[in-house]
Each structure stands twice: as C-alpha cells, then as structure tokens.
Amino acid sequence: MSNPDIHLVKKYLLDLQDRICQALEREDGQQLFSEESWHHGKGGGGRSRVMENGAVIEKGGVNFSHVRGEHLPPSATAARPELAGCRFEAMGVSLVIHPLNPYVPTSHANFRFFRAEQTDADPIWWFGGGMDLTPYYGFEEDCLHWHSTIKAACDPFGTELYPRYAKWCDDYFYLKHRNEPRGIGGIFFDDLNQLNRGGFDQCLAFVQAVADTFIPAYLPIVTRRKNTSWGQHQRDFQCYRRGRYVEFNLIYDRGTLFGLQSGGRTESILVSLPPVAHWNYNWQPESGTDEAALYEQFLISKKWIIQ
C-alpha cells in the first residue's frame, strides 16, 4: 500500500474549500462567507466559513478541519475495534447549503482523510466522503443532472463505482425510524485505500475528481430554481422537511458523532443544521399536491441513472 502524503491531501482540501466558497458567493450575489480559524486542544484546527441571510443561501457552511488525538472516539472504534487506543489524525472539507427558496434543494458534501498509528504495524489510512441532494420539491431534470454529473466523474475510475457508491449513499442517508430516504442520493464511500490496484495516488485522484464535481453538479440546479416564485405554503413545507434533516444529522450522521466525541469544535460541527425547522404532529401531504409528489416520485428507492 503506497505511503500517503498528508500534506498533499491538506493542500488540496484547503484549495477545494476556497473554490467552493468563491463559486457559492458568486451564485448568491449578496453575501460573503465569514471565516473563523480555530485550534483543537490536542492538535490541529480548522477554518469555519459560514454564510447567513443571503439572497439565495439562507445558511451555508463550508468547513475545513484537521484534528489529532491520542485515542479514537467510540463512533470510530465501534466498527474497527483494532483501532482502539491508536493515535489518529483526520482532515476534511464538509459543507451543507440550506437555500432560502423552497424550490432549491439542500445539498451536502464531505471529503475526508483519516490516518491511525498502530504500535506494531504500518499506519492505517483511508479516504471517505460523498455528496447528496435533498429537494423539497422534486424535478426530474434536476435529479438526472445531479446523478449524471457525479457518474461522469466516477466512470474513468471504473464503471462499477457509481452504482456501488450510489447504493451505499441511499443506504446511508436513510431515516430508519421514518422509513424514508433523506433525499434523492448521490454517492457515498468510506474506507477507500485501494482503487484499481492503485494505492494512495489513485485514491486521491478519485476523491479529487468527485469533489471537483460538486459545483458543476449543484450550481446549475440552484441557478435554474432560485428565482421560482414561492409563498408561505412552500416555506412551511420546506421547514417541515428540514426537520428530517435535523433528525438524521443528530441521530445517524457518523461525521457529527465523530466530531463531537473527538472534542471537535461544536459550532463548526453543528453548522450543518438549518436555521429554521418545523415539526408538525402526524402531518400528511394532501393527495395530488406537489408535496405528495415528493414522497411518491422522489423519496423512493430509485436508480436515477441506468448503466
């Protein structure tokens, strides 16, 4: 297994954060990201960038973090007990964009690198990440654009990757207690340390290709929907569906659990939560409405791109 170049990963992730923020600022046209640098008590730190009350983005966070620790938290060792007691470092860019217009979907992406030191063996390392889309009102052309753009980034590394990672995304971003998906998916991968018999260089190239796809996958959808007229009815439904987003992030999301358990910066970790969310008791959409169509046509098990 080729030796990972941590500095190369960090350089790429910092540049990725810059490029995504610049593109989102241009799309919003009103607000800029504020930046706050922070330091982790046990080593490392990060750059938190947040936009609030923009013309397009009601709240968005694009964060870089690089933390170190002497012991992995339970969220990391539950599936990998051999790593208990290992020193570690983890870095990544994580972003969540909550739009103002209910017709613009929320989007999430995360790209991360992890390394753990073992006492009597070589270090263990891997990449993980992905990107997914959470619409409030469904449009098939948006879903097809999102998935086809991601697939085009995956295919040069193997045509089997997109369907495998798309299914992984659907399985991961699923609210078991609601028996419904969080959105219409994308891709999700983890524990990536070998690809096409290549080690670090090949894995990094794949992560770069996918991460560089976030802007061309998301912004055309934002541009297409951001000027759609909406009213209080659509806003109420958006806030109701945002409640599902909160439930997933606080109950299931591994990144949230890892960040909190490893002593990460709470404000940066919870920036993923929407600014306004509603919980309405036993609410059901009225048959034949656009709200019902979201459940019937989009929040279902579906292969958006057929190989």
Side-chain angles (χ1 to χ4, degrees), residues 230-269:
W230 58 276
Q232 190 61 46
H233 177 79
Q234 290 78 22
R235 173 65 168 177
D236 288 344
F237 183 63
Q238 177 196 47
C239 290
Y240 173 74
R241 288 298 310 169
R242 281 176 171 179
R244 299 291 204 267
Y245 209 91
V246 173
E247 290 176 20
F248 182 89
N249 278 30
L250 295 183
I251 297 173
Y252 299 114
D253 189 74
R254 280 190 240 162
T256 300
L257 294 175
F258 179 85
L260 294 174
Q261 293 175 359
S262 62
R265 185 171 183 269
T266 302
E267 284 298 308
S268 298
I269 296 164

Side-chain angles (χ1 to χ4, degrees), residues 124-141:
I124 294 176
W125 62 268
W126 66 79
F127 289 96
M131 46 203 281
D132 66 290
L133 197 69
T134 305
Y136 305 100
Y137 290 91
F139 297 92
E140 186 169 346
E141 64 177 316

Side-chain angles (χ1 to χ4, degrees), residues 51-282:
M51 180 188 293
E52 295 181 293
N53 301 317
V56 177
I57 298 172
E58 185 175 16
K59 181 186 177 186
V62 183
N63 295 336
F64 168 81
S65 64
H66 180 195
V67 298
R68 305 181 184 91
E70 295 298 321
H71 302 285
L72 281 162
S75 60
T77 57
R80 301 287 293 267
E82 73 275 13
L83 298 182
C86 290
R87 288 184 298 150
F88 73 93
E89 60 182 306
M91 68 177 69
V93 166
S94 182
L95 67 95
V96 177
I97 306 301
H98 292 293
L100 176 62
N101 191 318
Y103 289 99
V104 181
T106 283
S107 187
H108 157 263
N110 175 273
F111 303 98
R112 60 191 180 272
F113 177 79
F114 177 88
R115 174 185 167 119
E117 299 286 345
Q118 300 186 102
T119 303
D120 300 318
D122 292 336
I124 294 176
W125 62 268
W126 66 79
F127 289 96
M131 46 203 281
D132 66 290
L133 197 69
T134 305
Y136 305 100
Y137 290 91
F139 297 92
E140 186 169 346
E141 64 177 316
D142 295 351
C143 300
L144 292 175
H145 170 79
W146 175 258
H147 278 275
S148 62
T149 305
I150 296 171
K151 180 180 181 297
C154 294
D155 281 354
F157 298 87
T159 56
E160 77 284 359
L161 294 181
Y162 166 77
R164 181 197 308 166
Y165 292 159
K167 183 180 185 305
W168 197 344
C169 184
D170 291 341
D171 292 343
Y172 179 72
F173 292 105
Y174 192 84
L175 287 85
K176 302 178 184 66
H177 63 289
R178 297 285 189 181
N179 195 32
E180 66 183 43
R182 187 170 84 171
I184 58 98
I187 63 167
F188 180 86
F189 59 94
D190 208 356
D191 300 321
L192 181 67
N193 56 26
Q194 189 171 27
L195 186 62
N196 300 331
R197 299 184 180 179
F200 172 78
D201 292 342
Q202 185 75 350
C203 292
L204 176 60
F206 171 75
V207 171
Q208 290 173 325
V210 174
D212 288 347
T213 295
F214 174 77
I215 288 301
Y218 185 50
L219 283 198
I221 298 172
V222 177
T223 303
R224 188 182 299 136
R225 305 298 168 196
K226 67 181 182 180
N227 294 319
T228 304
S229 297
W230 58 276
Q232 190 61 46
H233 177 79
Q234 290 78 22
R235 173 65 168 177
D236 288 344
F237 183 63
Q238 177 196 47
C239 290
Y240 173 74
R241 288 298 310 169
R242 281 176 171 179
R244 299 291 204 267
Y245 209 91
V246 173
E247 290 176 20
F248 182 89
N249 278 30
L250 295 183
I251 297 173
Y252 299 114
D253 189 74
R254 280 190 240 162
T256 300
L257 294 175
F258 179 85
L260 294 174
Q261 293 175 359
S262 62
R265 185 171 183 269
T266 302
E267 284 298 308
S268 298
I269 296 164
L270 298 184
V271 75
S272 62
L273 301 181
V276 182
H278 296 169
W279 282 265
N280 302 333
Y281 180 74
N282 200 29

